[in-house]
Amino acid sequence: QVQLVESGGGTVQAGGSLRLSCAASGRAISLYTMGWFRQAPGKERDFVARISKSGASTDYADSVKGRFTISRDNAKNTVYLQMNSLKPEDTAVYYCAATSRVFTYARTFDYWGQGTQVTVSS
């Protein structure tokens, strides 16, 4: 199976930016639709973004549209989440995820990283 490791989290001021990385091993990420999810304390895990296997298609939660960008570099076996104009409500543990399902049918994800903490201070 594929193993996923997130990095790049940290603490930033509101309005700042962070870029999260998800490094994969064990399998080529080109085999997977990739996604980012987040979970704030006491809340459900929420979908943030997904990207098709080739990178041609993306989808975002309404709460992050226009601020976050998901991208992938299949040659580096890495997926990214560029987060701009961060808000305190973006504070959460961010998880990278993968599914073998094609983009159109990628509603649930099968493989997960351990998460990286993002804290946005006001």
Side-chain angles (χ1 to χ4, degrees):
Q1 70 176 59
V2 64
Q3 292 81 46
L4 306 172
V5 179
E6 303 94 337
S7 63
T11 301
V12 296
Q13 297 271 348
S17 298
L18 282 174
R19 188 182 73 160
L20 306 183
S21 297
C22 173
S25 61
R27 291 283 195 279
I29 63 163
S30 60
L31 300 173
Y32 301 97
T33 299
M34 303 296 295
W36 287 95
F37 293 75
R38 66 187 182 185
Q39 187 168 24
K43 296 185 178 180
E44 298 178 351
R45 183 181 61 195
D46 292 330
F47 165 78
V48 175
R50 60 179 176 157
I51 187 167
S52 62
K53 295 177 180 181
S54 70
S57 299
T58 58
D59 187 38
Y60 299 90
D62 287 342
S63 59
V64 306
K65 284 181 180 176
R67 299 188 299 121
F68 290 11
T69 302
I70 187 171
S71 62
R72 64 193 298 157
D73 187 338
N74 286 347
K76 294 183 177 180
N77 235 29
T78 302
V79 179
Y80 305 95
L81 185 68
Q82 179 67 46
M83 306 185 295
N84 298 327
S85 301
L86 283 162
K87 304 174 181 179
E89 50 263 47
D90 295 319
T91 295
V93 176
Y94 283 71
Y95 297 92
C96 177
T99 178
S100 61
R101 303 177 186 89
V102 297
F103 180 83
T104 302
Y105 303 103
R107 297 292 187 270
T108 60
F109 287 73
D110 306 306
Y111 307 101
W112 298 85
Q114 293 300 305
T116 186
Q117 177 71 48
V118 171
T119 302
V120 184
S121 63
S122 59

